[in-house]
Amino acid sequence: MTKNIAVIRGDGIGPEIVEQALRVLDKTAELYGHTFNYTDVDMGGCAIDKYGDPLPEKELQKCIDSDSVLLGAVGGDKWNDVPGHMRPEKGLLRLREGMGVYSNNRPAKIWQQLADASPLKKSIVDKGIDFIIVRELIGGIYFGEHKTEGDTATDVLKYSESEIERIGRIGFETAQKRNKRLCSVEKSNVLDSSRLWKKVMHSLAEEYPDVELSDMLVDNCAMQIVKNPSQFDVVVTENMFGDILSDEASMITGSIGMIPSSSLGATTCGLYEPIHGSAPDIAGKDLANPIGTILSAAMMLRFSFDMPKEADAIEDAVSAYLDAGYRTADIMSEGMTQVGCRKCGDIITENLKKE
Ligand code: IPM
Ligand code: MG
């Protein structure tokens, strides 16, 4: 198969981690007889420097016209003082909205080889951590009206039934493919939008009798994620709650640098990115962990290109790398062999095999 991939290297460590993911994709293409064509897209701080705009229309269009988008990371202190509508993050939000990718899938799974890196007690980790946060990505407070008038600032949190229904369906379908437990997270004791959220989730539940639906208030969920994470299978929640809970969930796996994500909408053209940021402090030093991006590329093959064997091969190559004791600085521990970003890419690429 031939696939056209839009590649956003972005800022900070973005370019170096994306480079390693592309090497892994190229080797996969060679082994399985595919062709991946890459189109570079400027987004984030580098686009502000070049065009005075974090995502010019023509760059967005390249993404919409592609078969899928691979993104490193955007942002950095350098652009902290630019006005809100010009920030690098605004490029990312415009990209998500422009591609219509309303469903963001963020797995929180512990790699057995890295279990010691979790900040949680061993007795909790041993019960297993393997759940997915399905986050609504193009609605809610992120996309409501934002304004500052005098000494007062306002951000509007708004959801319609249809916006909730489409993400709800993804939650139920994701649960159907796993252990059939869906936890809907909201703040229905306070917010109208959350009461609507809960109502829609319960009316959808009738269509998915094989899935067990539960409700949880977001503050309680934040607590349960550290107290008893093994209770979760799939969590579905609105945009900002999902943003916060997914950072928390990634931390308990001990290695935010390892976590990929996928964002999809009505078509198979998806956006794939690691969930960590651009880490400007270590940029260009060959210290970054490219695995979150490499695993994001694997997700692209699985969810957008229908290449499950190829995706398995990449995940197996990552697992073999960890088994052999290699670690980048972020997950380094005693007795392991420390490697840089490029070397990590070398080893994972070498490990790739056709099953
Ligand atoms: C994320 C990030 C973004 C978000 C920022 C960079 C706009 O935190 O992908 O989780 O809040 O969605
Ligand atoms: Mg976030």
Side-chain angles (χ1 to χ4, degrees):
M1 267 191 254
T2 298
K3 296 288 177 190
N4 298 316
I5 302 174
V7 177
I8 305 175
R9 294 166 202 265
D11 309 314
I13 58 170
E16 50 198 302
I17 54 180
V18 165
E19 198 53 45
Q20 301 315 314
L22 296 184
R23 293 176 64 212
V24 169
L25 279 173
D26 283 339
K27 177 76 182 287
T28 308
E30 188 189 309
L31 287 172
Y32 287 84
H34 303 302
T35 305
F36 297 142
N37 300 319
Y38 307 119
T39 305
D40 276 311
V41 172
D42 292 317
M43 185 180 97
C46 56
I48 296 175
D49 290 349
K50 209 160 153 184
Y51 312 103
D53 181 339
L55 182 64
E57 202 53 39
K58 77 169 190 1
E59 299 300 292
L60 170 62
Q61 197 57 47
K62 288 187 203 166
C63 296
I64 294 172
D65 293 340
S66 72
D67 291 318
S68 268
V69 180
L70 183 68
L71 163 64
V74 295
D77 296 343
K78 185 177 164 199
W79 304 279
N80 269 352
D81 296 328
V82 301
H85 68 281
M86 274 271 297
R87 287 184 63 93
E89 291 83 356
K90 192 72 198 173
L92 179 58
L93 298 181
R94 233 191 263 158
L95 176 68
R96 291 171 176 170
E97 189 184 27
M99 291 180 70
V101 287
Y102 60 82
S103 164
N104 180 222
N105 174 322
R106 297 188 166 185
K109 187 175 173 185
I110 203 140
W111 288 81
Q112 273 327 309
Q113 299 98 324
L114 302 176
D116 287 347
S118 173
L120 297 184
K121 272 197 287 206
K122 191 171 177 320
S123 58
I124 296 177
V125 175
D126 283 349
K127 287 204 263 165
I129 299 175
D130 182 3
F131 63 100
I132 289 183
I133 296 182
V134 174
R135 167 188 177 194
E136 199 292 323
L137 202 59
I138 56 174
I141 202 163
Y142 277 59
F143 291 91
E145 190 191 0
H146 305 290
K147 65 173 187 225
T148 304
E149 281 169 337
D151 63 358
T152 305
T154 312
D155 300 284
V156 175
L157 198 184
K158 195 166 150 186
Y159 271 110
S160 66
E161 280 189 16
S162 60
E163 283 176 300
I164 301 172
E165 185 186 322
R166 64 183 183 180
I167 189 70
R169 288 193 185 282
I170 303 289
F172 279 100
E173 286 160 18
T174 308
Q176 275 180 329
K177 289 182 208 133
R178 295 175 45 103
N179 293 324
K180 304 191 169 42
R181 284 182 291 116
L182 178 65
C183 180
S184 162
V185 171
E186 29 69 6
K187 188 73 184 172
S188 58
N189 53 348
V190 178
L191 303 176
D192 266 37
S193 56
S194 281
R195 285 190 274 273
L196 183 65
W197 180 278
K198 189 170 172 181
K199 185 183 119 200
V200 173
M201 289 298 157
H202 281 269
S203 62
L204 278 177
E206 292 164 20
E207 291 180 45
Y208 301 89
D210 52 332
V211 176
E212 184 195 317
L213 173 69
S214 60
D215 305 295
M216 196 177 275
L217 295 173
V218 62
D219 47 349
N220 183 28
C221 182
M223 178 180 81
Q224 296 295 334
I225 286 178
V226 289
K227 189 177 167 211
N228 179 17
S230 71
Q231 71 186 284
F232 296 109
D233 180 23
V234 180
V235 168
V236 65
T237 193
E238 62 97 46
N239 202 344
M240 188 160 70
F241 297 160
D243 178 44
I244 298 167
L245 295 178
S246 62
D247 262 31
E248 187 191 11
S250 71
M251 190 58 219
I252 64 168
T253 70
S255 43
I256 188 166
M258 302 278 300
I259 303 192
S261 78
S262 66
S263 303
L264 285 154
T267 70
T268 57
C269 176
L271 169 62
Y272 296 85
E273 52 177 318
I275 79 157
H276 61 73
S278 62
D281 51 322
I282 58 162
K285 296 185 180 156
D286 196 35
L287 284 172
N289 185 349
I291 295 183
T293 317
I294 291 172
L295 293 174
S296 297
M299 277 184 129
M300 175 187 288
L301 303 188
R302 190 183 300 286
F303 297 127
S304 286
F305 300 167
D306 196 22
M307 299 179 181
K309 285 205 191 76
E310 292 82 338
D312 285 347
I314 295 177
E315 287 165 5
D316 290 348
V318 169
S319 201
Y321 158 94
L322 294 173
D323 283 339
Y326 296 111
R327 303 285 186 268
T328 41
D330 56 317
I331 52 172
M332 183 58 191
S333 63
E334 217 184 302
M336 299 294 137
T337 311
Q338 188 167 334
V339 294
C341 181
R342 187 171 177 90
K343 183 81 186 165
C344 171
D346 285 345
I347 298 166
I348 293 172
T349 309
E350 278 161 26
N351 285 349
L352 269 171
K353 281 194 285 294
K354 189 167 177 178
E355 313 274 307

